[in-house]
């Protein structure tokens, strides 16, 4: 489906938080109850569509991979956060969201966290983005320099990089705890600069502001330290809300409000490691698990030219749907030579279709098919309550009706085994697709050819 009648191809401002739990924002039950109201993000929700059943993969790298390619990360060898020792990230064979929209005439920029490859060839400016600034991997590496025994001659500290298409990346700074506090402010500043330049040129754009908050260590910008009086987490939440507000104000100031699709979401469920653990609202679990708290995230979309304000929907959407949906709206080409697991949801988000185009999806934790979600039902094939728990294979699937058992409480048995028919069909369909299109192993170097 192309852009709705009467609307031009939209500009796209894609804002993503890192490990922001479902229950953190005011409009999702958090905000003031977490020590910091979130008025700007709440207003954004009131001006567009708020999803209550948006689902991601349960780790950072897999979720970002599925967003960028429209493919479940298990297909791309990006099914888990990489810990070194092998080539990491997306092979050059994968077509990214940046590739697709650039080919369709969009100006593209990505600012913030990447986590899909840290070698030169796999960084954003070589993966479809005209420019980028940020960290190639993850925020917990900022702790390394203050860790007893750390030796940079063994493994170098993470750099903050900037680069432009076709040119070598440049190291801006070392990502230490001081930089950790200020990086989201810089992401905001650079995204604003990109929006101003793109707005003057009149070229449609994809601007990705991929914030690092609230990923551990959750440390607010010094300008926000102590601002709420309710601790570091609340200070961070106030900062995040203000940064989003700054980006929205920039669109309005530039006269880009009407035909810019703004997306706000999180890459996966809430932070688990104490004392920075987040809140999943009504759901149990956090990232690295197949529980709802690991995969269900906030998702807000505003596009005044095409999305009716004040809509709320509990229809199922998955992160893999972002690629084909944005490609459809932008008039971009979705690859046809590989399985695309995402589904075009443009008709649903614009209100032309009441129902989501998706009914369910498989859930991998690492390379384990851990569960399947279908409508309001779920089958767990493994028991795993936290990222540190051993995943125990179940003799029979644990079946959940999320309407009656939203906490996925093991003590609440449910005998609706009929749901295994559509659930196992999802499994069979995926397995059949791998016979023709084998999975790419993790650590696969370039060049890769299927």
């Amino acid at each position: 489906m192309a852009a709705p009648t009467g609307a031009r191809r939209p500009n796209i401002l894609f804002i993503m938080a890192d490990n922001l739990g479902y229950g953190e924002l005011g409009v999702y039950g958090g905000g003031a109850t977490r020590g910091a109201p979130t008025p700007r993000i709440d207003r954004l929700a009131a001006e567009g569509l708020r999803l209550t059943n948006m689902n991601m993969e349960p780790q950072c790298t897999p979720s970002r991979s599925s967003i960028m390619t429209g493919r479940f990360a298990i297909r791309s060898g990006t099914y888990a956060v990489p810990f070194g020792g092998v080539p990491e990230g997306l092979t050059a064979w994968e077509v990214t969201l940046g590739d697709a929209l650039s080919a369709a005439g969009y100006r593209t920029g990505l600012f913030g966290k990447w986590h899909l490859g840290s070698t030169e060839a796999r960084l954003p400016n070589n993966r479809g983005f005209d420019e980028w600034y940020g960290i190639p991997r993850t925020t917990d590496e900022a702790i390394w320099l203050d860790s007893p025994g750390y030796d940079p001659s063994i493994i170098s500290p993470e750099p903050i990089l900037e680069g432009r298409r076709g040119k070598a990346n440049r190291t801006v700074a070392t990502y230490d705890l001081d930089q950790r506090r200020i990086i989201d402010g810089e992401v905001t500043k650079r995204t604003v600069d990109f929006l101003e330049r793109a707005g003057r040129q009149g070229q449609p754009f994809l601007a990705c502001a991929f914030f690092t908050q609230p990923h551990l260590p959750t440390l607010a910008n010094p300008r926000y330290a102590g601002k709420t009086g309710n601790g570091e987490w609340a200070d961070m939440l106030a900062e995040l809300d203000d940064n989003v507000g700054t980006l929205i104000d920039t669109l309005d100031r530039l006269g880009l409000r009407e035909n810019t699709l703004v997306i706000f979401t999180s890459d996966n469920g809430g932070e688990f490691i104490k004392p920075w653990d987040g809140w999943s609202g009504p759901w149990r679990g956090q990232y690295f698990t197949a529980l709802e708290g690991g995969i269900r995230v906030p998702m807000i979309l505003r596009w005044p030219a095409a999305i009716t304000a004040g809509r709320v929907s509990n229809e199922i959407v998955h992160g893999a749907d972002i690629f084909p949906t944005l490609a459809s709206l932008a008039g971009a080409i979705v690859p046809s030579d590989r399985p695309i697991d995402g589904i075009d949801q443009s008709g649903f988000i614009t209100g032309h279709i009441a129902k989501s185009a998706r009914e369910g999806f498989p859930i991998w934790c690492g390379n384990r098919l851990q569960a399947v979600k279908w409508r309001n039902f779920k089958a767990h094939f493994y028991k795993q309550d936290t990222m540190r728990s051993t995943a125990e294979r179940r003799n029979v699937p644990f079946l959940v009706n999320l309407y009656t058992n939203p906490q996925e409480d093991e003590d609440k048995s449910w005998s609706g085994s009929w749901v295994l028919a559509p659930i196992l069909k999802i499994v069979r369909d995926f397995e059949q697709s791998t016979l023709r299109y084998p999975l790419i192993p993790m650590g696969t170097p370039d060049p890769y050819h299927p």
Side-chain angles (χ1 to χ4, degrees):
M1 178 177 178
T5 302
R8 305 184 311 277
R9 294 191 302 167
N11 302 308
I12 301 163
L13 171 58
F14 185 1
I15 308 169
M16 186 160 65
D18 191 3
N19 300 351
L20 184 75
Y22 183 95
E24 300 292 357
L25 305 174
V27 75
Y28 285 91
T33 67
R34 293 289 280 152
T38 53
R40 298 309 309 273
I41 299 174
D42 295 351
R43 186 191 310 170
L44 183 69
E47 294 171 344
L49 167 63
R50 177 167 63 91
L51 300 181
T52 58
N53 204 344
M54 178 65 194
N55 303 268
M56 294 288 186
E57 301 208 31
Q59 299 181 37
C60 299
T61 293
S63 59
R64 291 161 191 271
S65 176
S66 63
I67 288 168
M68 278 292 149
T69 66
R71 290 155 47 82
F72 296 138
I74 190 73
R75 295 193 190 274
S76 305
T78 48
Y79 55 75
V81 171
F83 290 106
V86 296
E88 29 98 11
L90 293 168
T91 65
W93 176 80
E94 297 284 354
V95 176
T96 71
L97 183 61
D99 290 325
L101 267 64
S102 287
Y106 274 64
R107 184 178 182 88
T108 56
L110 189 148
F111 310 95
K113 176 176 172 177
W114 175 237
H115 217 177
L116 292 174
S118 55
T119 59
E120 190 72 25
R122 294 188 177 187
L123 289 167
N125 55 320
N126 288 305
R127 305 313 314 267
F129 290 91
D130 296 317
E131 56 189 272
W132 97 285
Y133 160 89
I135 54 172
R137 295 185 298 275
T138 183
T139 289
D140 47 289
E141 293 186 27
I143 301 173
W144 286 0
L145 283 87
D146 291 318
S147 299
Y150 171 66
D151 184 347
S153 68
I154 296 175
I155 181 170
S156 299
E158 183 169 21
I160 299 175
L161 300 173
E162 65 177 4
R164 290 183 177 267
R165 186 189 295 268
K167 296 183 179 180
N169 281 269
R170 183 178 77 87
T171 297
V172 176
T174 295
Y175 195 41
D176 58 16
L177 291 177
D178 290 336
Q179 291 293 326
R180 194 276 166 276
R181 286 189 177 274
I182 64 175
I183 189 171
D184 278 8
E186 185 66 17
V187 167
T188 302
K189 176 183 174 183
R190 289 182 181 241
T191 306
V192 166
D193 176 66
F194 177 87
L195 294 174
E196 290 174 341
R197 287 183 283 115
R200 285 195 299 269
Q201 294 170 356
Q203 182 181 4
F205 60 78
L206 166 66
C208 297
F210 287 176
F211 291 125
T212 64
Q213 298 285 18
H215 193 293
L216 77 91
T218 310
L219 303 172
N221 189 293
R223 294 189 297 111
Y224 288 83
K227 180 176 181 178
T228 65
N230 295 318
E232 195 86 63
W233 187 273
D235 294 344
M236 172 281 301
L237 199 56
E239 177 193 354
L240 176 64
D241 191 65
D242 279 359
N243 285 336
V244 171
T246 296
L247 297 178
I248 298 302
D249 289 345
T250 300
L251 294 177
D252 294 352
R253 171 169 56 82
L254 297 172
L256 299 173
R257 175 188 177 93
E258 283 299 305
N259 202 46
T260 298
L261 170 59
V262 179
I263 302 170
F264 178 90
T265 192
S266 174
D267 62 345
N268 45 245
E271 184 61 67
F272 169 75
I273 305 298
K274 297 182 186 301
W276 304 292
D277 50 323
W279 188 42
S280 302
W283 317 112
R284 184 165 71 91
Q286 290 157 299
Y287 64 16
F288 282 73
T289 75
L291 296 165
E292 287 298 288
I295 61 171
R296 199 183 293 217
V297 300
M299 178 72 151
I300 296 166
L301 304 101
R302 189 193 79 172
W303 181 13
I307 295 177
T308 302
R311 284 177 59 205
V312 180
S313 177
N314 195 49
E315 290 290 301
I316 291 177
V317 179
H318 190 277
D321 299 339
I322 292 172
F323 180 103
T325 300
L326 296 186
S328 175
L329 294 172
I333 295 172
V334 175
S336 58
D337 62 343
R338 65 200 68 192
I340 300 294
D341 301 295
I343 302 173
D344 177 8
Q345 299 280 12
S346 56
F348 166 63
I349 68 170
T350 56
H352 290 77
I353 302 169
K355 294 284 188 180
S356 165
R358 175 182 296 280
E359 285 196 314
F361 56 90
I363 306 165
W364 281 272
C365 290
N367 57 359
R368 294 186 309 276
L369 179 58
Q370 192 125 331
V372 171
K373 184 172 174 177
W374 177 77
R375 295 184 179 176
N376 57 294
F377 305 104
K378 206 164 172 187
H380 287 273
F381 305 121
Y382 288 82
K383 175 178 172 57
Q384 184 191 18
D385 292 333
T386 75
M387 67 180 293
R388 289 177 173 165
S389 305
T390 300
E392 301 173 4
R393 179 78 186 188
R394 297 176 183 273
N395 292 327
V396 294
F398 170 49
L399 302 178
V400 176
N401 181 339
L402 291 167
Y403 288 162
T404 59
N405 186 11
Q407 287 279 301
E408 298 168 89
D409 187 343
E410 298 271 351
D411 293 329
K412 290 185 177 181
S413 60
W414 184 64
S415 57
S417 58
W418 64 270
V419 304
L420 285 172
I423 281 173
L424 293 178
K425 182 179 185 303
I426 291 174
V427 176
R428 285 195 301 273
D429 288 349
F430 175 80
E431 290 176 343
Q432 284 295 313
S433 75
T434 66
L435 298 178
R436 182 177 178 188
Y437 300 97
L439 306 180
I440 300 174
M442 180 171 279
T444 296
D446 289 317
Y448 167 78
H449 301 287

